[in-house]
Amino acid sequence: MVKLLAPAGSIEMARAAVDEGADIIYVGPLGFSRRPYESEMSDDAIREAAAYARGRGAELRVVLNTFPTPYDFGRFVDKAVRYAADGASGFIVTDIGLLRTLRREIPDTVLHVSIGSGISNLADAAFYRDAGADVIILPYRWDVAEIEAVRRASDIGLETFLFETVQTGKLCPGKCIMSSYLRFRDWKEIEGSRDFHGSANRGAKECYRVCQANWEFGAAGAAPVELKLRRDARLMLAQLPGFVAAGVTCFKLSGRERPVGMIRDLVRFYRRAIDEVVAGAQNLDHHAAELAELRGRWVREKTKRVDTLMDRAASYAK
Amino acid sequence: MFELSTDVGNLKELREGDFSAYDAIYLGDFSCPEYPNNFSSHAELLEAGLQHVHARGQKAYLRLYAVPGNDDLAWVGDVIDTALQLPFDALEVHNLGVLRMLRERGCTAPVHLGVFGNLYTHETAKVLRDFGVTRVYPNPELSLDEVRYIAEHADIEVLVPVHGKIPLVISETCFILEHSEEGAEGACGDGSCSYQCTQEHWLKRGRDDGSRADWSLKDTGRMTLSGKDLCMVEHGERLADMGLKHFYVHNKGEAPGYAAAVGRIYRDALARAFAGEAAPDFAPALDTLAGLAREGLCNGYYFEGAGQRYIGRS
């Protein structure tokens, strides 16, 4: 069974994704899921989204993929137990300690390892399986051969982003704290009262995507070149049949911070494409025009978002 | 009383440098297997490096490659197999797959978790302890209070960096090579490395007209470091009072002589602090340390806030 995992940055997005055929939607509680508060949800909204999804045969996962502070660990566990009682069928987590604790406290739940874990090889996947994970999201640097290799090494479920393979660049997220080194803001009231210093990796303090801004780079004394630190990932399509054949069982659409209309269109598009692949299609070229249009919208939104985040960063303290 | 350690990439640097201020040496550059004669990727050099360190009465820890892809696992396994035949005082891992490989091979040596191991909680430290980890390098985003909490609640050693650049992000390919004219002819990892990282490379974002924030980062090719040097020389007393005992000076990417100069200052400052002596005038030490730090000094995240701030003793 191949599943489509879609974002729900708001209750409206949750409804749109379910209506368009997402098998699973994922939501982030305020202050716990590596996104600005505008793309996270209150507990009441999460409960409502869970009910909407379950009522239409879909599932809801809760993203608890920030790294807890040691002081705040118990709050993560308490929230997870409550969400499970409210209808969440699983969680997306990063911290290994949290993974093991949730496996013990909510044994029937589905545990995904977040991209924030920064895995880089098949032995990593085997480690997380040992630690109690059910599904691991693979780096979007991996091609079909690497997916097949990990499939042979472990029976852990395999999930990939709907992005094309990019094999270079700094490892983000999972091995990066550039943003919090450069800029910082305090918790906002809406994110709840928290008693520790945060960062993009720890909730609040959004990542300002400093890697996607323009930098000057060069050896000391030499003329610098202007560049970005990371290449943008492109929405994928042609790789879908190969990934499914290699054993990927879950495709994740990114974008809790995107407009609802864009997520609606993307879920509809990928629902069709995945259904065609499951039915045996090997070539999806007939979707090329629609893919190009969606890619264009994706890039335009991304550019706007980077500008917004950099403007915010400029307004915060060092 | 306390342990002060630093890192050395290869045998040449080990033999030519003065590391006498240190109790322990982390051997190898965990970020780049292509770094010349890197202990982390040259099994045949391990014994010589280990002997050199042990002959000086210091502990020798071996750093294993931080971000191995599937294609790297075989040679990383070879390095591990050689290392396990030698009396290293510990092996350092950053990658949980490599940690699992150590356990599969019956490793009985202590294992340290490195800076890119994403250690944020005491509960994670407990999981890793079950895999043989005896020391953790908490993520640099943690405050000193959080670091102490982990040490106390997970019953595990914590490594506390006290000076040097902060590792911020790592990659599997070389940023310098990818953006150089020479690099365009080859690919990182194909044996054609021209070692341009022997020259300092910097990322800058400031503009004289103030239209951009004045940001600066150092790039060693496969790792980006803070522009400023973490500096805790004024806070030895606090570190001692907190019960922290394992301190580290980051040396990768620095010029020859950096580790020696910094090590001497911290050996003295920490010895005084642990002996309960009154704090000396730190101005001379700060002058020396600031002179070694092109972009200035910071406290990282230890006192909360963004990593670039510096807070003095007062």
Side-chain angles (χ1 to χ4, degrees), chain A residues 127-173:
Chain A
F127 177 94
Y128 278 99
R129 187 61 168 152
D130 293 347
D134 299 298
V135 183
I136 193 160
I137 189 149
L138 303 177
Y140 39 74
R141 302 179 305 283
W142 282 17
D143 57 17
V144 166
E146 301 207 76
I147 295 168
E148 288 172 342
V150 74
R151 173 74 299 143
R152 289 192 295 272
S154 169
D155 66 349
I156 196 166
L158 303 182
E159 176 182 323
T160 65
F161 279 109
L162 285 161
F163 289 131
E164 289 188 334
T165 305
V166 179
Q167 291 185 314
T168 62
K170 300 185 185 300
L171 298 181
C172 164

Side-chain angles (χ1 to χ4, degrees), chain A residues 152-233:
Chain A
R152 289 192 295 272
S154 169
D155 66 349
I156 196 166
L158 303 182
E159 176 182 323
T160 65
F161 279 109
L162 285 161
F163 289 131
E164 289 188 334
T165 305
V166 179
Q167 291 185 314
T168 62
K170 300 185 185 300
L171 298 181
C172 164
K175 304 289 180 187
C176 180
I177 56 171
M178 278 194 293
S179 182
S180 60
Y181 170 72
L182 296 166
R183 278 294 186 266
F184 170 86
R185 75 164 168 81
D186 286 320
W187 294 94
K188 289 182 180 294
E189 187 73 25
I190 195 171
E191 292 160 341
S193 173
R194 309 288 284 276
D195 52 3
F196 71 99
H197 155 62
S199 70
N201 287 343
R202 307 217 288 168
K205 320 310 186 273
E206 63 241 281
C207 173
Y208 301 114
R209 301 292 194 268
V210 297
C211 57
Q212 290 166 23
N214 291 317
W215 290 76
E216 291 177 352
F217 179 63
V225 294
E226 184 147 311
L227 44 70
K228 294 181 179 179
L229 311 191
R230 241 180 118 222
R231 291 184 200 171
D232 290 340

Side-chain angles (χ1 to χ4, degrees), chain B residues 168-246:
Chain B
L168 299 180
V169 60
I170 194 165
S171 61
E172 295 163 312
T173 52
C174 180
F175 194 73
I176 296 173
L177 203 57
E178 285 167 3
H179 293 96
S180 71
E181 289 181 15
E182 264 181 83
E185 295 169 10
C188 182
D190 70 357
S192 65
C193 184
S194 49
Y195 304 120
Q196 294 177 58
C197 59
T198 53
Q199 279 188 288
E200 285 195 359
H201 282 70
W202 290 83
L203 286 156
K204 299 282 290 181
R205 224 185 113 68
R207 273 190 179 153
D208 292 342
D209 63 3
S211 60
R212 281 183 181 176
D214 187 14
W215 292 346
S216 181
L217 303 172
K218 187 168 187 177
D219 201 289
T220 60
R222 297 214 198 184
M223 183 162 60
T224 307
L225 305 167
S226 61
K228 296 183 179 181
D229 287 19
L230 168 74
C231 176
M232 293 293 286
V233 73
E234 294 190 81
H235 303 285
E237 189 180 339
R238 180 169 179 168
L239 296 170
D241 287 346
M242 293 178 92
L244 302 168
K245 294 177 183 167
H246 302 91

Side-chain angles (χ1 to χ4, degrees), chain A residues 76-95:
Chain A
F76 274 70
V77 178
D78 291 347
K79 285 181 87 73
V81 169
R82 192 162 66 248
Y83 295 137
D86 286 344
S89 57
F91 299 89
I92 300 173
V93 301
T94 310
D95 188 76

